[in-house]
C-alpha cells in the first residue's frame, strides 16, 4: 500500500472524517488495460456486483467494455451509467418476479439473459420473452479463495450437464434463441492450481458447446480473476490464465466473453479509519477503530485478509502485534488480527487495503450505522462520489414514524 499518497489520504480523512472509502479510477483503467492486453480477442463484461458506484460504472462504460449484471437493480444502474443494453449481460440466479418484470420492461433487451434453471426459461416464456438466452451450466468443479465462493461446484448455480440438452430444447420450443454457453468457476483464481481448476471448467464448457446441435455466438467463462490480498502474495499470471483458456476453447467457435469484477477494482480501493480506543489484550494490542463489519464485511463473512497500514509516519513507534476491531456488537467484527504494526495510538489514521471490490458494495446499516462516503481519485483530483449517509437515510422508509 506504500504507493498511495499519504498526504492525499490524510486530506480526505480530514475533510470527510472517517470511515471513508477511496477509489482510484486511474488504477481501475490500468487494471482493465492489463486484462485487455492478456485477452485481446475477448469481449469483456465488468461484473457490476464488485462495485456498482456510478463513477466506477461510467469509467467502464466510457472504456467501451460491457456490464454483467446479477440483478434488476444492477441492470438499471448500468443503463443509467451509459452502458447500451446490447452491451449488458443479465445473469440472474433465481430472479425474483419483480426483477424479471423490470428488466423485460426495457424497450431494448439485454444482450442475453443467462439462465441457470429450466424454470427461469419457463418464467421468461410466460412473460412473452423471445430474445437471446445463454445457458449457464453447472460444471461440477469450482475454484476460489474460499469454499464459500467456489461457485462452479455449487448446485445453486447453473444447469447440470445432463440437463443442458433439455434446456436447449425448451428454449427453442418457447421461441427464444440460445446464443451462448456460460460458466463461472468461482472467485479469486490466483495460483497455478486455481488456473488449472479454471481450465477444467472451461474444458467442460467446450465439451458442452461441442455437444450442442447448433453453433453459439459466444462462450462466457465468467470472472473470478484473483488478486493477492497479502503483501507477500504473487499476482495472478494473467497470460497463463489466458493461454489455458484459449487452449481449452481451441475446438470451439464463438467469441470468448469474460466477466472480471474483483480483478478490475479490488486494489483500486482503500478504507480509511481512525483509531479511537487502544487496549492491551495479553501480549497483543487491540486497536478499536471507527470502521467495522458494516463498512467492510469480507473479514467477518469469509475470514478474508485485508492489509492494514498506518497512514503517515509512525516510524518512531515500537512495533507490536495488533488486532483491529470495529464498533459493532458482534464478535466477528474484527477487521484484522495479529498484524505487526507500529503501536497504535488514539487518533491514528489507518488504511485498510484492497477494498475496491465487495467493500462499499456489501456495506450494511446494521447497528443503525449510516454507510460511509466514497471519494474518487483521478489524476491529481479528489472528489466525493457518494456522501456519508445520515441517520435519516436509515429511518426514511419507516412508514409508522
Ligand atoms: C460474481 C460474478 C462474477 C465476477 O466475479 P469476480 O470474482 O469479482 O471476478 C462474474 N460472473 C458471474 C456470473 C458472477 O456471479
Amino acid at each position: 500500500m506504500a504507493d498511495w499518497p499519504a498526504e492525499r489520504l490524510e486530506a480526505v480523512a480530514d475533510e470527510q472524517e472517517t470511515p471513508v472509502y477511496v477509489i482510484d479510477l486511474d488504477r481501475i483503467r490500468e487494471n482493465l488495460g492489463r486484462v485487455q492486453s492478456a485477452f485481446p480477442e475477448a469481449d469483456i463484461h465488468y461484473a457490476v456486483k464488485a462495485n456498482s458506484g456510478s463513477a466506477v460504472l461510467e469509467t467502464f462504460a466510457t472504456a467501451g467494455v460491457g456490464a454483467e449484471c446479477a440483478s434488476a437493480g444492477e441492470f438499471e444502474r448500468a443503463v443509467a451509467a451509459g452502458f447500451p443494453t446490447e452491451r449488458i449481460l443479465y445473469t440472474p440466479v433465481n430472479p425474483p418476479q419483480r426483477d424479471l418484470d423490470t428488466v423485460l420492461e426495457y424497450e431494448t433487451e439485454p444482450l442475453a439473459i443467462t439462465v441457470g434453471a429450466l424454470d427461469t426459461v419457463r418464467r421468461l416464456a410466460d412473460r412473452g420473452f423471445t430474445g437471446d438466452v445463454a445457458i449457464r451450466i453447472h460444471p461440477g468443479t469450482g475454484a476460489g479463495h474460499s469454499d464459500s465462493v467456489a461457485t462452479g461446484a455449487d448446485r445453486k448455480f447453473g444447469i447440470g450437464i445432463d440437463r443442458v440438452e433439455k434446456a436447449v430444447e425448451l428454449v427453442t420450443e418457447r421461441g427464444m434463441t440460445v446464443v451462448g454457453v456460460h460458466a463461472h468457476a468461482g472467485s479469486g483464481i490466483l495460483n497455478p492450481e486455481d488456473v488449472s481448476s479454471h481450465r477444467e471448467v472451461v474444458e467442460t464448457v467446450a465439451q458442452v458447446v461441442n455437444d450442442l446441435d447448433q453453433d453459439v455466438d459466444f462462450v462466457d467463462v465468467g470472472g473470478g480473476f484473483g488478486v493477492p490480498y497479502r503483501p507477500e502474495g504473487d499476482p495472478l499470471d494473467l497470460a497463463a490464465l489466458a493461454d489455458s483458456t484459449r487452449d481449452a476453447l481451441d475446438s470451439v467457435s464463438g467469441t470468448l466473453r469474460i466477466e472480471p469484477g474483483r480483478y478490475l477494482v479490488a486494489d483500486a480501493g482503500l478504507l480509511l479509519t481512525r483509531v479511537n480506543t487502544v487496549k492491551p489484550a495479553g501480549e497483543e494490542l487491540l486497536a478499536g477503530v471507527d470502521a467495522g463489519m458494516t463498512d467492510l464485511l469480507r473479514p467477518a463473512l469469509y475470514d478474508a485478509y485485508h492489509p492494514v497500514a498506518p497512514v503517515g509516519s509512525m516510524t518512531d513507534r515500537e512495533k507490536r502485534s495488533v488486532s483491529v476491531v470495529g464498533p459493532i456488537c458482534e464478535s466477528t467484527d474484527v477487521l484484522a488480527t495479529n498484524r505487526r504494526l507500529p503501536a497504535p495510538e488514539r487518533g491514528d489514521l489507518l488504511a485498510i487495503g484492497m477494498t475496491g471490490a465487495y467493500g462499499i458494495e456489501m456495506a450494511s446499516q446494521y447497528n443503525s450505522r449510516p454507510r460511509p462516503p466514497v471519494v474518487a481519485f483521478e489524476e491529481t483530483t479528489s472528489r466525493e462520489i457518494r456522501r456519508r449517509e445520515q441517520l435519516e437515510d436509515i429511518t426514511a422508509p419507516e412508514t409508522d414514524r
Side-chain angles (χ1 to χ4, degrees):
M1 274 191 291
D3 51 346
W4 287 83
E7 321 78 67
R8 283 180 80 185
L9 297 178
E10 276 166 341
V12 168
D14 287 342
E15 197 172 310
Q16 293 280 344
E17 303 185 335
T18 50
V20 53
Y21 273 102
V22 176
I23 187 96
D24 183 336
L25 302 179
D26 296 322
R27 213 178 273 228
I28 291 178
R29 292 187 189 99
E30 284 164 30
N31 294 341
L32 176 62
R34 278 199 306 285
V35 174
Q36 285 170 325
S37 320
F39 289 90
E41 78 283 34
D43 190 4
I44 301 168
H45 286 71
Y46 166 63
V48 171
K49 76 174 184 291
N51 188 323
S52 62
S54 61
V56 171
L57 295 185
E58 281 161 22
T59 301
F60 286 112
T62 307
V65 297
E68 184 270 329
C69 297
S71 70
E74 286 184 3
F75 182 86
E76 294 198 277
R77 289 175 80 179
V79 172
F83 290 95
T85 50
E86 68 271 14
R87 297 290 296 141
I88 300 178
L89 287 165
Y90 176 46
T91 315
V93 179
N94 307 328
Q97 309 282 15
R98 208 169 23 252
D99 273 37
L100 284 184
D101 292 339
T102 302
V103 170
L104 295 185
E105 257 167 36
Y106 273 79
E107 240 164 75
T108 47
E109 277 155 4
L111 163 69
I113 300 184
T114 303
V115 296
L118 270 64
D119 268 347
T120 306
V121 178
R122 296 186 186 101
R123 294 167 72 208
L124 288 170
D126 291 348
R127 287 168 169 75
F129 179 72
T130 54
D132 293 343
V133 164
I135 306 275
R136 178 171 190 168
I137 63 161
H138 166 73
T141 50
H145 63 78
S146 123
D147 281 350
S148 47
V149 297
T151 321
D154 189 335
R155 281 258 156 223
K156 172 172 165 179
F157 301 98
I159 296 171
I161 310 280
D162 52 337
R163 310 247 304 158
V164 168
E165 203 182 318
K166 206 165 175 220
V168 172
E169 263 170 39
L170 181 67
V171 168
T172 316
E173 210 176 275
R174 304 296 292 262
M176 295 165 248
T177 311
V178 175
V179 292
V181 174
H182 173 283
H184 172 65
S187 206
I189 298 161
L190 197 54
N191 56 44
E193 240 171 78
D194 301 329
V195 172
S196 58
S197 316
H198 183 260
R199 186 196 170 108
E200 274 175 48
V201 170
V202 180
E203 279 169 353
T204 308
V205 176
Q207 190 64 51
V208 167
V209 174
N210 286 329
D211 287 348
L212 292 180
D213 294 332
Q214 60 161 99
D215 287 336
V216 290
D217 297 342
F218 67 86
V219 178
D220 189 330
V221 301
F225 305 2
V227 291
Y229 281 87
R230 290 174 192 267
E232 70 276 15
D234 290 326
L236 167 66
D237 185 346
L238 261 189
L241 182 71
D243 281 346
S244 87
T245 304
R246 243 172 248 134
D247 236 36
L249 289 176
D250 198 28
S251 60
V252 172
S253 60
T255 314
L256 169 65
R257 291 223 155 99
I258 52 175
E259 307 168 337
R262 182 188 317 275
Y263 187 90
L264 297 174
V265 294
D267 74 348
L270 281 186
L271 174 62
L272 296 174
T273 184
R274 244 182 236 288
V275 176
N276 54 35
T277 319
V278 180
K279 67 177 175 187
E283 293 293 287
E284 247 210 337
L285 284 179
L286 290 186
V289 297
D290 58 11
M293 63 188 282
T294 51
D295 310 295
L296 178 65
L297 181 61
R298 298 187 70 255
L301 186 62
Y302 308 123
D303 213 11
Y305 179 102
H306 283 271
V308 177
V311 180
S313 175
M314 296 175 194
T315 44
D316 54 327
R317 309 244 193 106
E318 180 202 355
K319 283 211 172 167
R320 295 284 302 270
S321 175
V322 178
S323 286
V324 180
V325 297
I328 317 300
C329 293
E330 292 289 341
S331 42
T332 53
D333 182 33
V334 176
L335 297 174
T337 48
N338 302 322
R339 305 296 173 84
R340 289 302 292 178
L341 289 174
E345 291 174 11
R346 252 187 301 146
D348 283 354
L349 185 62
L350 300 180
I352 303 179
M354 307 293 291
T355 56
Y358 308 103
I360 184 69
E361 204 57 34
M362 285 187 170
S364 77
Q365 298 168 326
Y366 181 45
N367 273 206
S368 290
R369 298 240 315 160
R371 282 174 292 204
V374 183
V375 170
F377 283 0
E378 199 164 22
E379 293 178 5
T380 55
T381 65
S382 312
R383 71 190 151 97
E384 179 188 87
I385 55 171
R386 184 183 165 93
R387 66 164 171 79
R388 185 180 303 285
E389 287 181 358
Q390 304 298 322
L391 186 62
E392 176 61 17
D393 293 307
I394 299 178
T395 55
E398 290 186 321
T399 48
D400 68 344
R401 269 190 307 152

